[in-house]
Amino acid sequence: MGSQESFVGEFDHQPERRRDPQQDQPDGRGLHDQERDALLGALWRSMAILEFAADGTILEANDNFLGMLGYRREELVGQHHSMLCEPLYVQSDDYQQFWQHLRQGDIITGTLQRRRIDGTIVWLEALCSPILDEQGALTKVISAAADISSHIDDSHHSNSVLSALNRSLGVVELSPDGLVLAANRNYLKTMEYLAEDLVGKSHALLCDPDYVSSEEYAAFWRDVCNGRFFSGRFPRRTRSGRTIWWEATYSPLLDPHGKAERVICIGNDVTYRVTREKSDREHLHLLSLGINETDNAVLITDDKNRIVFHNTGFTRMLGFQSQQVIGKLPRDLFAGHPTFVKSIERCHGELLQGHSFHTEELIHDFHEQPVWISAVVNPILDAGGKLINAVCVMTDITNTKVHEVLQYRVLNAMARDSSLSEQMNLLCEEVERVAPEVIASILRVDEQGRLHTLAGPSLPEAYSRAIDGLSIGPMVGACGSAAFTGQPVITEDIASDPHWADYKDLALNHGLRACWSTPIKSADGKVIGTFGFYFRQPRQPSGFHHLLVDAGLHLCALAIEREASRARIHQLAFYDSLTGLPNRSLLLVQAGQAIAAAERNRSTVAVMFIDLDRFKQVNDSLGHQAGDELLRTVATRLQSQARRSDIVGRLSGDEFVVVLTQYDTQHLTEVVKRIQERLAMPCHINGTPLNPSASIGVAIFPDNGNDIETLLHRADIAMYQAKAVNRGRFSFFSEEMNSMAQERLALEGALRDALRGGRFELHFQPQIRLDDHSLHGVEALARWHDAQLGQVSPGRFIPIAEECGLIGELGRWALEEACFQLSDWRRRGIQVPSISVNLSATNFHDLELPQFVTGLLRRYSLVPTDLTLEITETVLMDTNPSTNQTIAAVHALGIPLAMDDFGTGYSSLGYLRKLPVSELKLDQSFVRDMAKDEAVSALTNAVIRIGESLKLTVVAEGVEDADQYRMLLSQGCDVAQGYYFSRPMSADELESWVRDFRSRQDKNAGQLLQATGPVETIRDK
């Protein structure tokens, strides 16, 4: 009942005890050394001894062990203990438990198997003793063993048979009264019990209660106890209540009197097999139902190719009844269709050779209606390979095949990018091929509701011409009515149908007697065409015709919409969606063609680059819809002035291009002036009167370039030159302009390199309080010295930085450099109260500016009032939605704001009441002329009074002489800066200046400051 393990034995937990020193004393209580050595020697000579370490390494083996297993000492010592065991045993949990017990100090005794060097198995009776150290850890193991193979071999075969049965089957031993006496592992596992939970219990526990209480169960036990064997499949209940099928033999063991002493039941779980057989039976039943009830047609023929069976699906598909089919040859059913008969004969030839056959055919049923079938025929052969039956399964693929046949040629035509007319003619031809009684026609409906013939290869040409251009309506034949109502129109007889009252003679004269027209609709439901079937006799369309129309409508809609989409894509790809003018792509192509023609004809071409003036203000003040309307107005005016040979296009935004060809060079200026004057005519946009103007640059082929890209670029340069002089002007390109443009491009590149290469530096100009002559603060000013360009003034690099998008980066650099310098001065005791930094509008578009400034103040241990941000009126008038939000956030941080160049803009006073500024910087243009012009002096006095009333500090810029200083002092100006006090200095120079300034303050408190350098008349800021 149990399985033979690799090691059967006992575990005795007897760890090695520490030696008692008294055992070695000569008082007789211990074993004498001589006696112990003699005992160990006898053991060494009589037993097979193996010594191995805690990690399994073999340390020593005596001659008995080596001889028993056939090894030499050098082949064994140093190897792992596992080499002596079966590989499967080494990988098992039993082997791991063997080592676990040894590490716990357990002495192991019992029977085990070991492998000889030749691979044969030796049975040993062994004792394994662990040797532990003082901490109880295993150090090594001594194994003493004896060979007992001779005692085991005799019963080995029978034990092997029993062991195999025990491993593979479930075995349970029962008493005559039905109690479980024993059960092996397989049986317990199957029934989900432990031995202690089942042994001693009644066999009835494993059976259904109804069966246990039945006479059948009682008779079963009576027969078994009387010596009868029982074999079969029995339902049994597991511990969890699950029912299994138990295939078993109940064998009674009888005593000498013929009475059962025990009953041995041997069996296995066949639940899966029983379930599978039941499933197979159900499957066969369903298969028989499926064959008869499927929509597929099934035929079975005999060895003489006569039909012996057909299912009801055959009758439903093809209309034949049993009396018309059974006993007939397949060819007899379709004798009127020779093409299909040939396929049947070819099929029979393949079947006789043992081959399957597959075909797809357009056939006709019992009622002569077309049906497309897919037929698969398989032979059934006898043992000798002779045909005895054939099974044919036919599937109606009419719907799929109609779509496939119609789509194949049409979609291929689309892939070849053929014309819409060719695609639609191919569709009509395919329809007429599979349905010869049909004359197919496809019409398109235009935006004005008129019919146009797309395809009708079999329609009389005169008829097609007559209906082309007809307006759709409720009584305009079948096609015109279908297009008008959006519903199919079936005319069984054109001669009598009211839809054809005005057109019947036209149709009847061409032999057309019936018509069925179906509207073709786009994805949004709009009628874009009609698909019509004409017939030569009065009739209705058949079901097959409906399939053709269903398949064809999709193709028609796809092809017509694809053509419309291509036209729209062409429009979008090459024309501006707002103005309808050619876009840049088409403009370049057309202009290139014009230049090529001019080169061949040795003529000239003029390219006008037109940019609207102050277009952004229209968008900002009146909205983008007004801006779009102005662009459309400009496009219309340009087209009205252009000749047929001229090209007018829109590049982007408010930029337009006019290419003038075949013009008189002597009158080019007049043409440009006329266009500019036409553009400048007043107009009303959304009810608002506007006086638009445009700046125009002109480049001429071949004088200014040989290709359109060059000419556009140079016309653009000329336009900028015109705009720089004054808006609303035009300018012709010259080489001087090109040089200026190249210089600007070089300057832009150098600017990028300088900014990112750290070649900018800050200079600082002191700001002096006029009431006590103390240092109010310093203004940080960017300076750039280039190795090739020399000293580049801010007046040159600031506008370029703004145009090429570097001004924001420049502002961030200036902020960080200024904060670092102020922190460094503070650390070294240089007393600078605060520092001012100029920022552009672009910096205030950045919503992260407040967070950036906060990080700088924290990094350099500064407070918000240590830094002042200077903004100009362009920042206040900026329409970017981020600007006001960023200004408010900076103000909320407590950072002072100063309005730079106050008094030079248009809206400063209006914005001043809303803007959170703390300083007004009086522009140097006022300071320069205040001593010479009383009006200017009055204006400066007014600005100072405004600051005084709003409690704002007024800082005068550009103070260059004592007269200006005295007048500002007399008017009550708060702070002044300029060359009268000091020019902008480097950080080191300012540091010396501050020290001298402090020293002079201490010595000459209250005295007028003297200029520290020569007076300059040009402010370098």
Side-chain angles (χ1 to χ4, degrees), residues 656-913:
F656 295 84
V657 171
V658 176
V659 180
L660 301 174
T661 62
Q662 303 175 13
Y663 69 94
D664 184 353
T665 55
Q666 297 178 355
H667 298 94
L668 176 59
T669 301
E670 295 177 8
V671 173
V672 176
K673 287 179 66 176
R674 187 179 72 247
I675 291 175
Q676 193 166 46
E677 290 169 358
R678 182 71 180 91
L679 292 179
M681 291 179 63
C683 62
H684 282 76
I685 303 296
N686 291 350
T688 302
L690 288 180
N691 293 94
S693 68
S695 298
I696 301 176
V698 183
I700 299 173
F701 168 83
D703 297 343
N704 303 136
N706 294 317
D707 59 84
I708 183 59
E709 291 284 5
T710 301
L711 293 170
L712 275 178
H713 174 63
R714 294 186 171 181
D716 187 16
I717 293 173
M719 183 276 296
Y720 270 106
Q721 180 69 17
K723 193 181 285 285
V725 176
N726 196 8
R727 288 184 171 92
R729 296 173 61 88
F730 66 88
S731 175
F732 287 82
F733 176 79
S734 66
E735 285 301 327
E736 182 183 356
M737 291 181 192
N738 189 37
S739 299
M740 292 171 60
Q742 295 298 327
E743 180 185 349
R744 184 193 173 284
L745 189 63
L747 190 62
E748 179 181 332
L751 176 64
R752 291 181 186 275
D753 294 341
L755 183 58
R756 288 159 192 180
R759 294 195 288 274
F760 273 89
E761 65 174 337
L762 285 183
H763 280 203
F764 305 91
Q765 188 171 39
Q767 297 171 327
I768 308 299
R769 296 197 62 84
L770 299 184
D771 56 354
D772 61 1
H773 305 108
S774 62
L775 182 61
H776 174 72
V778 297
E779 180 179 5
L781 302 167
R783 293 294 181 263
W784 173 27
H785 181 80
D786 185 81
Q788 281 76 36
L789 302 175
Q791 192 71 32
V792 184
S793 71
R796 289 182 69 194
F797 70 74
I798 292 296
I800 293 176
E802 289 176 340
E803 290 176 16
C804 66
L806 293 174
I807 193 66
E809 188 177 343
L810 183 61
R812 281 176 168 255
W813 168 83
L815 277 173
E816 180 158 8
E817 189 70 16
C819 290
F820 163 77
Q821 189 58 62
L822 183 61
S823 173
D824 183 62
W825 282 331
R826 296 271 179 85
R827 181 177 57 81
R828 294 187 291 106
I830 308 302
Q831 298 301 313
V832 175
S834 66
I835 194 164
S836 299
V837 179
N838 292 275
L839 293 183
S840 72
T842 302
N843 291 111
F844 287 91
H845 295 171
D846 184 4
L847 292 173
E848 296 182 0
L849 177 65
Q851 182 180 354
F852 176 72
V853 175
T854 301
L856 291 179
L857 296 177
R858 185 184 303 112
R859 186 187 315 161
Y860 295 113
S861 303
L862 302 176
V863 297
T865 53
D866 289 334
L867 179 66
T868 298
L869 301 184
E870 296 190 12
I871 57 178
T872 62
E873 186 178 325
T874 57
V875 176
L876 305 181
M877 298 181 66
D878 188 65
T879 58
N880 190 296
S882 302
T883 301
N884 289 335
Q885 183 178 344
T886 305
I887 290 175
V890 169
H891 176 67
L893 295 175
I895 297 173
L897 296 173
M899 181 181 287
D900 198 12
D901 300 335
F902 182 73
T904 60
Y906 296 102
S907 305
S908 295
L909 293 177
Y911 280 100
L912 189 60
R913 62 186 179 85

Side-chain angles (χ1 to χ4, degrees), residues 565-586:
S565 296
R566 290 175 63 182
R568 285 195 297 271
I569 290 170
H570 183 270
Q571 181 72 21
L572 292 173
F574 295 106
Y575 290 88
D576 173 46
S577 59
L578 179 64
T579 63
L581 295 176
N583 62 11
R584 183 183 185 91
S585 298
L586 183 57

